[in-house]
Amino acid sequence: MPFDFLDGLGFLADLLTLDFSDNSSKKIEKKKEESRKSKYTTELWSGGFLLIASILYFTVFKNPLPGDYLQTLFICSFAGLIISFAVFFSLFHLRLFYFKSLSKLLLFSCSFVLLSISGVFYIYFNSGIFV
């Protein structure tokens, strides 16, 4: 069987990628420790967003709204959606919008959309400028 030049290069590349130092085991342990710390960060951020959104919704809707505000509610909701999608687009281009499961993606996205809509409602109804 003849010697293949590319097999020899593959063997050399494998040797170069091996790390025989003692630091490599410390790096692996450090990565495992970091992954344990950040296991539930998506859920924590989403829970925080939902908590803040519920407080803002309560402050806006604790008193009944005067008059017919159906069109205003629709426009504020649409503005909140536009803001949240702009944030998602920028996070995507910064390569920060990555989730390991679909449920984490949906939880984070829905909670942020609710937060942005509640923020627009709060600014519109409680600032006194627009009403």
Side-chain angles (χ1 to χ4, degrees):
M1 192 164 149
F3 177 72
D4 189 13
F5 181 71
L6 295 176
D7 285 337
L9 285 178
F11 178 72
L12 288 175
D14 290 339
L15 282 178
L16 291 175
T17 58
L18 290 178
D19 189 12
F20 294 110
S21 66
D22 192 32
N23 293 336
S24 64
S25 62
K26 291 179 184 177
K27 289 178 186 176
I28 292 171
E29 290 174 8
K30 188 174 182 181
K31 285 183 182 179
K32 286 182 182 178
E33 184 178 312
E34 288 176 2
S35 67
R36 286 183 192 148
K37 288 181 183 177
S38 63
K39 186 175 182 181
Y40 297 108
T41 55
T42 305
E43 289 86 356
L44 290 173
W45 278 96
S46 300
F49 289 160
L50 288 174
L51 180 68
I52 294 169
S54 63
I55 292 169
L56 291 177
Y57 279 127
F58 179 74
T59 57
V60 169
F61 295 118
K62 67 181 175 185
N63 298 326
L65 299 175
D68 185 28
Y69 277 102
L70 185 62
Q71 184 178 6
T72 305
L73 292 176
F74 178 72
I75 290 172
C76 287
S77 299
F78 189 68
L81 283 172
I82 297 285
I83 290 169
S84 63
F85 287 134
V87 169
F88 294 152
F89 185 73
S90 62
L91 286 175
F92 177 74
H93 279 287
L94 292 173
R95 299 180 196 264
L96 297 173
F97 198 69
Y98 171 74
F99 298 94
K100 292 184 179 181
S101 66
L102 182 64
S103 62
K104 287 184 180 183
L105 170 75
L106 289 174
L107 177 67
F108 181 79
S109 299
C110 290
S111 64
F112 190 78
V113 166
L114 287 174
L115 177 69
S116 62
I117 291 172
S118 67
V120 171
F121 280 160
Y122 184 79
I123 290 171
Y124 184 82
F125 288 111
N126 287 347
S127 66
I129 298 172
F130 302 107
V131 178

